[in-house]
Amino acid sequence: SSELTQDPAVSVALGQTVRITCQGDSLRSYYASWYQQKPGQAPVLVIYGKNNRPSGIPDRFSGSSSGNTASLTITGAQAEDEADYYCNSRDSSGNHYVVFGGGTKLTVL
Amino acid sequence: QVQLQQWGAGLLKPSETLSLTCTVYGGSFSGYYWSWIRQPPGKGLEWIGEINHSGSTNYNPSLKSRVTISVDTSKNQFSLKLSSVTAADTAVYYCARGAVGRNSVVVVAATGLSYYYYMDVWGKGTTVTVSS
């Protein structure tokens, strides 16, 4: 299967920890990458590979993987973390294409 | 620092062909997959297709019959054409750089994950509206 499934919405209290998950068969072969998108802006890569953060991404963002599920964890969520988050990988069933999850809207309360 | 600058027509009529170009500044064109992604108003990201420096392409099966992605390595540019557009093609279109590779033997042994893929550089997006 080429689909990635995310919860549509998640909320977290300011300063608390939140986990956003992504499920799909391709995640048994590929690390998920994670993107943050704020309104009116292009997506920004926040996690890739085995828990790697691009330059400028705070270390409160981390990634993990188990079986067919990848997770993005924000430890000590800040108001500026309120955004849409998308997971992404390539299809692993021999079809050479890219898949995105449906996105999770994170609200910081 | 690699930057992607994209441009193209923002207003189309139904049945016309969408045409966008993305220029890569400040980095190598080879060794990566160069993708087009779109986002309809209020919706999620949809991958359209990709091309590498040698011109090898992969397309989203749902759009494949209408999509052509091409590359001009002499200009460090890649382009998207989407034919026979309808209102459903109204979206913000992004170009992005994709990196794909194999994980080390150690990582594979520990996690079972053989590969990685990510899009680390994105264009700012072009709003395309299809309306009669």
Side-chain angles (χ1 to χ4, degrees), chain B residues 37-88:
Chain B
I37 302 102
R38 70 181 184 179
Q39 186 171 36
K43 296 189 178 181
L45 302 171
E46 180 181 32
W47 179 76
I48 299 170
E50 66 186 2
I51 193 166
N52 66 8
H53 70 283
S54 63
S56 176
T57 55
N58 295 305
Y59 297 129
N60 186 323
S62 68
L63 297 169
K64 188 173 183 178
S65 63
R66 297 194 292 131
V67 173
T68 301
I69 297 176
S70 59
V71 65
D72 185 340
T73 55
S74 68
K75 297 180 180 179
N76 268 17
Q77 290 179 347
F78 62 107
S79 299
L80 167 70
K81 290 190 185 301
L82 179 67
S83 64
S84 305
V85 298
T86 69

Side-chain angles (χ1 to χ4, degrees), chain A residues 4-66:
Chain A
L4 295 177
T5 302
Q6 298 181 240
D7 292 328
V10 171
S11 62
V12 61
L14 184 67
Q16 296 303 300
T17 297
V18 63
R19 176 174 292 183
I20 298 170
T21 61
C22 174
Q23 288 187 303
D25 288 343
S26 64
L27 301 182
R28 296 186 184 278
S29 298
Y30 278 88
Y31 277 114
S33 52
W34 291 92
Y35 306 83
Q36 176 192 70
Q37 187 181 34
K38 296 182 179 179
Q41 298 182 18
V44 173
L45 178 68
V46 294
I47 291 290
Y48 68 98
K50 189 175 185 287
N51 194 23
N52 298 307
R53 286 174 288 106
S55 174
I57 301 301
D59 61 5
R60 63 179 178 271
F61 289 89
S62 64
S64 61
S65 180
S66 178

Side-chain angles (χ1 to χ4, degrees), chain B residues 19-43:
Chain B
S19 182
L20 298 174
T21 297
C22 185
T23 301
V24 180
Y25 292 101
S28 172
F29 205 76
S30 62
Y32 297 94
Y33 277 95
W34 302 91
S35 275
W36 289 98
I37 302 102
R38 70 181 184 179
Q39 186 171 36
K43 296 189 178 181

